[in-house]
């Protein structure tokens, strides 16, 4: 008994329109949701090109010929990780696809197996919530022959490294996600993490934040979730009220998360604990959260799970991005004692569907950067005015020291931003950076801007 | 508890976290006060949520008492909340006897827990990260909030919510005072609330004591409170052991408390009952895995008396075991070393000696040469229960018992004795114990009319 994948028509169109010149191979991701009974695929995205040297296999170096051995698995997994960050709760990378010429079909199966395990491993890294027994751990691999366009669909249980391929059904349908219920909420954060050993090295900050966020994530995971103001028992069907033949419409549910104000102490202490710290990290603000459920009899417990996971993911993603950014720019002089703005979440509609994806904008980026990224990561054009940047308000800008030099630097940064594309080869300052970071160009410019605004005047005062 | 009132108990933990940039006292005090002030704001925030225990109901007290359940609107009387509580009464009613527990006020307590809504929309913007680099001491703990309010059952939910938030604020303020008073350097003793049911008209009060400071060192504070509440200054009301034991919280040690309250008292012409005051535990044969069947009755009566002194707050030491009782007698020279580990009986004199040695309690000894004389001791016994109110150990013939009260008529001379029998060997089954008379009223024929009896009447120490 294999799994059954219900796939949106647009995916079929996308896959058949993929330009696969000659004897090259194309890899990509399959995005959707898995439930215990059924699985849904709503998007397929090819792995973006690594360099701008014209067309050709994006993940196979030129001249390597037809072998799949030169497939850059890391590149594929990194793309998967970046894409995962752009998906609201409920949606995730549930599989990979591979288009090969007929002679490589057999080897392609092995590649797919390697890819799916690697992708799952990479996107699970740094995850602050835990999988439950009810989570589906089967992921799908799709092989497409470039000549015959024949499709072979198999699944692997990524929890078991020795698992073997199981055949699965791949069926196209229209309107798969038109009635997927949407859950929304906005979560306020006011977290203070003590830093026992204060170095300005991002690695130490990262460790400190990770530990603090882990505790917070557990509180959210264990918290109570109300849906539309109601504490529903987990087994209640969310869409219970709908008539069978009623027109499929997307319902929106408001989620509220309640947690105890503090965890009672586990040990019988008589005095408050005292720690000598050399600094602290304060994370404050509000995050907008969204999650989608499938329409196959979703229950209240699934709803609470997906929205909670989105809450945790959005906070950890942007902290990760912020730290990655810091790591790139190296030592950040002068940014201690300054309130730094984390990337804020913006939403963009998926063309032709009632779903949306998200992205994170650094403080000095603009909508066109988001649009570029969507093209790079998800391979579709998004008109700039359809990108919703209003969900998370821009924090009040710290007062800028109006030295001329600073203002000039700012302007320079802005002009760098507007120029495109931002590939490593073009931007000379990028030479030393890892080719794996897609946000390289934009982030670098943003980092310059951050340094510039680093002279601003919010210092930690008692 | 006032009739027509409902008691609401709100518990939860608040996180207390503050950064001390220096350890000099004025700075520390300023920071601590500021932290308590911030907690006060947290408690008044719209994101505060009260969870009604054992129910799917949540209340937002700072949003006018708005609730999750549709049937509960803020202007409904708070007694409506009780109907929403899903108790496991179905289970316990099967175990309870036909003679229903009249004195059980469990129905009147509504338990609530503190929670916060993280999704409460504020005017916050997208997240920012602030890195501070000042060296500091981080003080961190959780405050064990425990507020109790007594309100009219007809009072509206929104008003009751306001009362609860007010109680939280005033408890925070009490905690701040206690924390500052007992602070040494960076050591902050955790303030802990205790509830006491004081005699009318005072009623229910909550006092905050610092953790780790024994009652013996808090006498000054108790003196202040005794004077504030106009309490007598010769008996304890505000020691930690005197704290109110809520009916819905079972005792964890497994002993029955005050089984006598479940009995009907005898109605004597022109007479009334004079009973033990306060709380004691029922100690009897075979408990604590000690097989003392046939020889330990006086030991058990002594244990019951010790439990009384512990629960009224006079002593902090636990109820002594048979071994410890024997050890004490050897120490005072009353018995030889060979006594240890033996199954020798003890009498009232030994009981008095142990009470003195282990608890510092003095006793009066009453002697009757014949059991029939006990019938005339009504006035003396009544006076004992009025002034001291301690359980009495009586030994004579071949038996020892505990007298918990006397019902006596001055005019007719009729007398009954409330007896707690240590010879019971069964389990802690209240129904059996009360129905079979292991705790029950006996007439003067209960005593061996020809044997002589000694009674040990423990005296309350004059202390608060």
């Amino acid at each position: 008994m294999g799994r059954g994948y219900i796939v949106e028509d647009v995916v079929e169109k996308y896959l058949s329109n993929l330009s696969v010149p000659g004897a090259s191979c194309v890899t990509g991701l399959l995005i959707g949701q898995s439930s215990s009974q059924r699985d849904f695929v709503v998007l397929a995205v090819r792995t973006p090109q690594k360099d701008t040297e014209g067309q050709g296999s994006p993940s196979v170096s030129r001249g390597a010929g037809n072998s799949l051995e030169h497939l850059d698995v890391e590149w594929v997994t990194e793309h998967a990780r970046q894409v995962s960050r752009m998906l609201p709760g409920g949606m995730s990378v549930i599989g990979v696809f591979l288009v090969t010429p007929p002679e490589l079909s057999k080897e392609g199966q092995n590649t797919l197996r390697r890819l799916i395990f690697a992708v799952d491993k990479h996107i699970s890294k740094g995850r602050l919530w835990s999988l439950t027994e009810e989570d589906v751990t089967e992921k799908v691999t799709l092989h497409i022959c470039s000549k015959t366009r024949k499709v072979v669909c198999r699944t692997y249980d990524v929890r078991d490294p020795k698992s073997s391929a199981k055949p699965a059904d791949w069926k196209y349908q229209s309107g798969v996600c038109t009635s997927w219920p949407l859950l929304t909420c906005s979560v306020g954060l006011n977290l203070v993490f003590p830093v026992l050993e204060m170095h300005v090295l991002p690695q130490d900050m990262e460790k400190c934040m990770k530990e603090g966020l882990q505790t917070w994530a557990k509180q959210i995971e264990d918290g109570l979730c109300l849906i539309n103001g109601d504490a529903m028992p987990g087994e209640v069907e969310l869409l219970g009220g709908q008539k069978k033949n009623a027109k499929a419409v997307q319902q929106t549910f408001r989620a509220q998360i309640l947690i105890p104000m503090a965890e009672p102490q586990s040990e019988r202490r008589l005095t408050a604990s005292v720690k000598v710290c050399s600094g602290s990290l304060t994370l404050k603000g509000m995050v907008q959260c969204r999650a989608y459920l499938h329409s196959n009899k979703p229950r209240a417990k699934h709803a609470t799970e997906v929205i909670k996971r989105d809450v945790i993911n959005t906070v950890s993603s942007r902290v990760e991005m912020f730290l990655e950014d810091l790591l790139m720019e190296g030592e950040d002089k002068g940014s201690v004692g300054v309130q730094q703005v984390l990337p804020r979440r913006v939403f963009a509609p998926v063309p032709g569907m009632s779903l949306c994806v998200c992205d994170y904008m650094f403080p000095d980026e603009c909508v066109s950067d988001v649009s570029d990224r969507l093209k790079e990561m998800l391979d579709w054009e998004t008109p700039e005015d359809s990108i919703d940047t209003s969900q998370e308000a821009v924090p009040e800008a710290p007062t800028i020291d109006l030295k001329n030099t600073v203002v000039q630097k700012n302007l320079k940064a802005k002009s760098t931003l507007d120029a495109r594309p931002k590939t490593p080869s073009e931007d000379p300052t990028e030479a030393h950076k890892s080719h794996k970071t897609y946000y390289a160009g934009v982030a670098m410019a943003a980092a310059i801007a951050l340094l510039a605004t680093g002279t601003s005047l919010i210092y930690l005062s008692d | 508890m006032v009739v027509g009132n409902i008691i609401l108990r709100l518990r939860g933990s608040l996180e207390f976290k503050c950064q001390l940039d220096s350890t000099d006292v004025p700075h520390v005090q300023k920071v601590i006060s500021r932290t308590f002030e911030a907690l006060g704001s947290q408690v008044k925030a719209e994101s505060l949520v009260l969870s009604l225990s054992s129910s799917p109901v949540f209340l937002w007290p700072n949003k006018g008492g708005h609730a999750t359940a549709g049937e509960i609107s803020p202007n409904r009387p708070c007694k409506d909340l009780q109907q929403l509580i899903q108790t496991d009464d179905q289970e316990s009613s099967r175990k309870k006897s036909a003679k229903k527990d009249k004195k059980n006020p469990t129905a009147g307590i509504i338990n609530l827990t503190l929670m916060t809504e993280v999704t409460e929309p504020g005017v916050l913007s997208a997240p920012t990260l602030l890195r501070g680099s000042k060296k500091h001491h981080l003080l961190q703990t959780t405050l064990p909030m425990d507020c109790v309010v007594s309100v009219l059952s007809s009072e509206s939910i929104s008003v009751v919510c306001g009362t609860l938030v007010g109680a939280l604020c005033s408890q925070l303020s009490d905690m701040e005072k206690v924390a500052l008073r007992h602070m040494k350097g960076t050591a902050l003793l955790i303030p802990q609330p205790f509830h006491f049911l004081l005699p009318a008209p005072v009623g229910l009060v909550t006092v905050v004591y610092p953790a780790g400071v024994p009652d013996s060192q808090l006498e000054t504070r108790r003196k202040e409170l005794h004077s504030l509440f106009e309490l007598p200054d010769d008996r304890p009301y505000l020691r930690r052991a005197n704290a109110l034991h809520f009916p819905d919280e079972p005792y964890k040690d497994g002993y029955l408390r005050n089984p006598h309250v479940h009995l009907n008292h005898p109605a004597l012409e022109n007479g009334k009952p004079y009973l033990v005051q306060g709380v004691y535990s029922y100690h009897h044969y075979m408990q604590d895995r000690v097989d003392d069947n046939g020889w330990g009755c006086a030991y058990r009566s002594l244990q019951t008396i010790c439990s009384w002194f512990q629960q009224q707050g006079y002593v902090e030491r636990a109820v002594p075991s048979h071994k410890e009782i024997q050890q004490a007698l050897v120490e005072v020279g009353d018995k030889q070393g060979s006594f240890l580990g033996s199954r020798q009986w003890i009498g009232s004199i030994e009981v008095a000696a142990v009470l003195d040695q282990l608890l510092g309690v003095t006793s009066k000894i009453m002697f009757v040469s014949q059991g029939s004389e006990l019938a005339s001791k009504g006035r003396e016994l009544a006076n004992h229960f009025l002034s001291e109110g301690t359980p009495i150990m009586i030994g004579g013939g071949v038996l020892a018992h505990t007298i918990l009260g006397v019902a006596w008529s001055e005019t007719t001379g009729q007398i009954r004795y409330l007896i707690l029998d240590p010879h019971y060997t069964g389990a802690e089954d209240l129904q059996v114990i009360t129905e079979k008379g292991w705790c029950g009223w006996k007439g003067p024929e209960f005593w061996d009319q020809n044997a002589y009896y000694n009674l040990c009447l423990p005296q309350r120490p004059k202390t608060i």
Side-chain angles (χ1 to χ4, degrees):
Chain A
M1 252 311 280
R3 299 198 71 86
Y5 286 83
I6 312 261
V7 189
E8 277 275 3
D9 281 341
V10 290
V11 171
E12 183 179 23
K13 242 187 259 156
Y14 181 86
L15 290 174
S16 51
N17 287 348
L18 272 181
S19 65
V20 188
S24 52
C25 307
V26 177
T27 55
L29 306 173
L30 296 166
I31 293 162
Q33 272 202 61
S34 286
S35 72
S36 54
Q37 312 286 356
R38 290 234 164 80
D39 305 275
F40 305 92
V41 177
V42 294
L43 281 175
V45 185
R46 68 183 295 161
T47 309
Q49 305 188 7
K50 217 168 12 167
D51 47 55
T52 48
E53 296 171 31
Q55 295 207 351
S57 24
S59 19
V60 179
S61 51
R62 295 190 117 230
N66 298 337
S67 168
L68 284 168
E69 281 170 18
H70 295 268
L71 189 75
D72 191 344
V73 174
E74 276 185 51
W75 189 247
V76 178
T77 61
E78 182 58 22
H79 177 227
R81 188 176 79 106
Q82 305 268 2
V83 165
S84 293
R85 280 181 180 164
M86 300 174 101
L87 301 175
M91 285 167 66
S92 61
V93 173
I94 60 170
V96 289
F97 69 81
L98 176 67
V99 183
T100 67
E103 57 272 21
L104 288 175
S105 291
K106 194 146 178 271
E107 200 187 328
Q109 285 303 329
N110 288 333
T111 309
L112 277 170
R113 187 179 196 281
R114 249 198 316 148
L115 273 178
I116 192 63
F117 275 91
V119 161
D120 184 72
K121 185 160 173 225
H122 197 60
I123 60 181
S124 326
K125 251 191 245 175
R127 182 186 280 164
L128 292 178
W129 44 268
S130 346
L131 288 173
T132 66
E133 293 154 353
E134 293 194 19
D135 279 298
V136 174
T137 49
E138 301 264 342
K139 305 280 173 188
V140 64
T141 61
L142 194 72
H143 177 265
I144 305 166
C145 174
S146 55
K147 201 147 145 214
T148 64
R149 291 283 155 181
K150 183 165 156 261
V151 153
V152 174
C153 176
R154 294 217 172 100
T155 61
Y156 291 91
D157 183 351
V158 287
R159 217 177 9 187
D160 176 11
K162 295 203 196 74
S163 75
S164 52
K166 291 201 238 344
D169 281 334
W170 185 261
K171 219 178 359 183
Y172 290 108
Q173 209 180 294
S174 69
V176 170
C177 58
T178 40
S179 57
W180 277 13
L182 167 67
L183 294 136
T184 64
C185 69
S186 46
V187 173
L189 298 166
N190 189 356
L191 305 169
V192 180
F193 307 128
V195 178
L196 297 177
E197 275 294 321
M198 185 67 155
H199 303 294
V200 280
L201 290 176
Q203 290 94 322
D204 298 305
M205 257 220 326
E206 185 180 349
K207 181 162 165 279
C208 173
M209 293 219 70
K210 274 285 157 150
E211 282 173 11
L213 283 178
Q214 188 72 68
T215 314
W216 168 82
K218 186 86 187 24
Q219 284 184 310
I220 299 285
E221 240 186 322
D222 293 343
L224 245 131
C225 189
L226 304 176
I227 302 192
N228 281 353
D230 209 354
M232 288 186 210
E235 297 301 322
V236 167
E237 281 188 31
L238 208 62
L239 305 173
Q242 268 189 343
K243 292 201 276 265
K244 260 213 155 160
N245 297 325
K247 188 159 190 275
V249 124
Q250 182 179 67
Q251 288 184 52
T252 306
F253 295 87
R254 183 177 66 111
Q256 284 167 286
I257 300 178
L258 308 175
I259 60 175
M261 287 202 90
E263 291 304 319
Q265 290 180 156
S266 43
E267 339 111 43
R268 301 237 151 261
R269 286 195 66 100
L270 299 175
T271 56
S273 71
V274 184
K275 279 197 200 117
V276 178
C277 303
S278 53
S280 67
L281 293 165
T282 307
L283 182 59
K284 248 192 185 144
M286 185 139 252
V287 293
Q288 265 299 325
C289 307
R290 275 195 202 173
Y292 291 98
L293 269 179
H294 52 83
S295 43
N296 182 24
K297 296 213 180 89
R299 296 185 191 275
K301 62 181 175 182
H302 302 135
T304 59
E305 203 173 69
V306 294
I307 190 71
K308 280 186 202 172
R309 286 177 179 179
D310 188 70
V311 172
I312 298 171
N313 283 343
T314 185
V315 173
S316 75
S317 292
R318 40 184 116 191
V319 167
E320 259 175 27
M321 289 171 59
F322 178 79
L323 293 172
E324 278 164 12
D325 187 59
L326 270 190
L327 195 67
M328 273 196 331
E329 80 171 277
E331 285 278 332
D332 46 353
K333 320 142 189 99
S335 48
V336 172
V338 177
Q339 199 167 43
Q340 294 179 295
V341 181
L342 293 181
R344 67 189 176 104
R345 201 176 197 185
V346 300
F347 294 92
V350 177
M353 284 186 236
S354 54
L355 301 175
C356 65
V357 292
C358 67
D359 190 24
Y360 294 94
M361 258 172 72
F362 274 84
D364 289 296
E365 288 185 322
C366 56
V367 173
S368 58
D369 300 306
V370 175
S371 181
D372 288 345
R373 266 200 296 278
L374 287 173
K375 179 85 186 91
E376 203 178 351
M377 295 295 153
L378 298 172
D379 204 15
W380 72 58
E381 301 285 349
T382 317
E384 283 181 23
D385 54 9
S386 67
I387 297 176
D388 183 4
T389 59
S390 66
Q391 296 296 322
E392 290 187 357
V394 180
E396 260 176 37
T399 44
I400 293 181
D401 186 359
L402 291 174
K403 289 202 189 101
N404 279 336
T405 47
V406 172
V407 173
Q408 278 176 5
K409 271 198 196 139
N410 254 324
L411 290 174
K412 185 163 174 238
K414 270 224 158 357
S415 56
T416 327
L417 272 171
D418 290 336
R420 313 193 208 135
K422 303 200 188 26
T423 50
S425 47
E426 286 199 0
D427 191 335
T429 54
E430 304 269 280
H432 64 284
K433 281 215 280 300
S434 152
H435 66 283
K436 291 188 192 122
T437 322
Y438 290 94
Y439 295 95
V442 176
M444 184 55 178
I448 293 174
L450 266 176
L451 260 173
T453 55
T455 56
S456 68
L457 304 169
I458 296 184
Y459 289 98
L460 178 66
S461 61
D462 180 20
Chain B
M1 322 271 177
V2 181
V3 176
N5 268 30
I6 284 189
I7 294 190
L8 291 110
R9 188 176 184 195
L10 174 57
R11 280 174 284 180
S13 305
L14 285 179
E15 192 182 30
F16 182 93
K17 209 170 177 180
C18 67
Q19 295 184 357
L20 298 173
D21 293 331
S22 86
T23 51
D24 57 284
V25 176
H27 172 79
V28 169
Q29 298 208 328
K30 196 169 77 150
V31 173
I32 304 266
S33 291
R34 232 184 306 137
T35 313
F36 271 103
E37 206 183 302
L39 284 174
S41 309
Q42 255 185 57
V43 150
K44 293 195 216 117
E46 292 200 343
S47 56
L48 183 75
V49 179
L50 304 182
S51 160
L52 184 65
S53 300
S54 311
S55 83
V57 179
F58 295 90
L59 299 165
W60 277 254
N62 298 317
K63 280 170 113 169
H66 157 77
T68 44
E71 324 88 75
I72 289 289
S73 65
N75 47 18
R76 298 296 297 272
C78 58
K79 63 171 182 253
D80 284 0
L81 290 173
Q82 282 180 312
Q83 282 136 26
L84 294 167
I85 299 176
Q86 294 143 8
T87 50
D88 39 22
D89 257 351
Q90 291 80 9
E91 268 209 66
S92 50
S93 61
R94 268 184 259 128
K95 287 188 192 158
K96 276 206 172 85
S97 57
K99 198 184 344 176
K100 207 52 166 103
D101 191 358
K102 316 177 279 280
K103 302 270 169 62
N104 185 5
T106 316
I109 295 194
I110 296 178
N111 285 303
L112 299 141
T113 324
L114 274 179
M115 296 190 86
T116 183
E117 182 186 348
V118 293
T119 46
E120 175 56 32
V123 284
L124 298 173
S125 51
T128 58
L129 185 66
L130 179 60
R131 295 152 68 198
S133 65
K134 271 214 191 130
K135 275 200 183 338
H136 60 270
H137 285 79
L138 179 74
L139 236 60
Q140 191 168 5
T141 186
T142 54
L143 299 174
M145 309 304 291
D146 188 346
C147 298
V148 179
V149 299
S150 175
V151 295
L152 287 173
S153 55
S154 55
E155 191 65 88
S156 73
I157 290 175
S158 57
V159 170
V160 169
C161 283
T163 315
L164 285 168
V165 172
L168 278 174
C169 289
S170 68
Q171 184 158 101
L172 278 173
S173 153
D174 287 342
M175 285 182 162
E176 182 187 341
K177 290 197 193 90
V178 167
L180 290 175
R181 197 191 291 200
H182 294 269
M183 188 138 188
K184 286 201 171 47
T186 55
L188 175 79
L189 295 175
I190 297 174
Q192 295 172 329
F194 291 87
H195 307 295
F196 301 94
L197 185 60
L198 299 180
V202 189
L204 205 52
V205 302
T206 306
V207 181
V208 175
Y209 288 128
V213 178
D215 282 331
S216 49
Q217 287 176 30
L218 293 168
E219 204 179 317
T220 324
R221 181 87 208 285
R222 286 200 300 280
K223 276 211 181 92
E224 284 169 16
L225 292 167
H226 271 243
S227 136
L228 175 67
F229 296 126
E230 293 179 0
L231 297 168
D233 59 358
D234 64 350
R235 56 170 59 182
Y237 284 92
L238 297 167
R239 286 179 171 244
R240 289 185 178 94
N242 300 120
L244 175 62
H245 181 85
F246 286 89
D248 57 354
E249 285 179 330
Y251 284 100
K252 294 195 189 85
D253 57 18
Y255 297 108
L256 288 177
R257 300 299 199 278
N258 289 19
H260 73 273
V261 302
H262 304 277
L263 301 172
N264 288 319
H265 301 313
L268 300 181
E269 192 186 319
N270 267 340
K272 55 183 254 198
Y274 300 85
L275 300 177
V276 66
Q277 299 171 30
V279 183
Y280 61 88
S281 315
Y282 181 19
H283 291 262
H284 58 78
Y285 278 169
M286 309 304 282
Q287 280 177 341
D288 323 312
R289 301 207 201 112
V290 175
D291 182 350
D292 57 335
N293 193 349
W295 60 271
C297 47
Y299 292 80
R300 297 295 182 182
S301 177
L302 172 53
Q303 285 180 333
T304 297
I305 294 173
C306 290
S307 79
W308 187 94
F309 280 96
Q310 187 208 12
Q311 290 178 82
Q312 263 50 247
Y314 288 101
V315 296
E316 283 174 29
R317 107 188 286 301
V319 171
S321 63
H322 290 59
K323 270 206 199 106
E324 287 166 323
I325 291 169
Q326 292 181 337
Q327 183 69 37
L329 286 169
V330 169
E331 272 167 23
V332 298
D334 187 276
K335 295 276 184 259
Q336 304 277 16
S338 55
F339 178 60
L340 294 173
S342 73
R343 296 174 172 195
Q344 280 187 50
W345 298 348
I346 56 176
S348 321
I349 310 298
E350 284 87 350
V351 167
V354 174
L355 285 174
D356 182 50
Q357 173 70 354
L358 294 182
L359 272 55
V361 166
T362 52
S363 312
K364 284 204 181 119
I365 300 289
M366 188 196 283
F367 170 77
V368 293
S369 50
Q370 278 183 296
S372 48
E373 281 176 48
L374 281 168
S376 61
K377 296 293 183 185
R379 185 186 300 276
E380 270 190 79
L381 292 172
N383 283 340
H384 168 84
F385 286 112
L386 278 175
S387 70
E388 305 305 314
T390 57
I392 296 173
M393 177 267 174
I394 178 167
V398 290
L399 301 173
H401 289 93
T402 310
I403 302 180
L404 295 175
V406 67
W408 168 67
S409 164
E410 202 169 350
T411 52
T412 66
Q414 276 185 301
I415 189 167
R416 298 279 182 281
Y417 309 88
L418 179 57
I419 304 293
L420 187 68
D421 198 335
H423 301 92
Y424 174 63
T425 53
E428 312 314 313
D429 188 308
L430 184 63
Q431 187 177 346
V432 168
I433 287 164
T434 49
E435 283 180 5
K436 302 290 186 201
W438 294 101
C439 175
W441 287 96
K442 314 287 179 193
E445 65 283 356
F446 180 72
W447 312 112
D448 182 338
Q449 303 297 299
N450 301 312
Y452 69 84
Y453 283 90
N454 270 327
L455 291 84
C456 171
L457 283 71
Q459 306 294 297
R460 283 180 184 258
K462 301 274 177 281
T463 172
I464 61 165

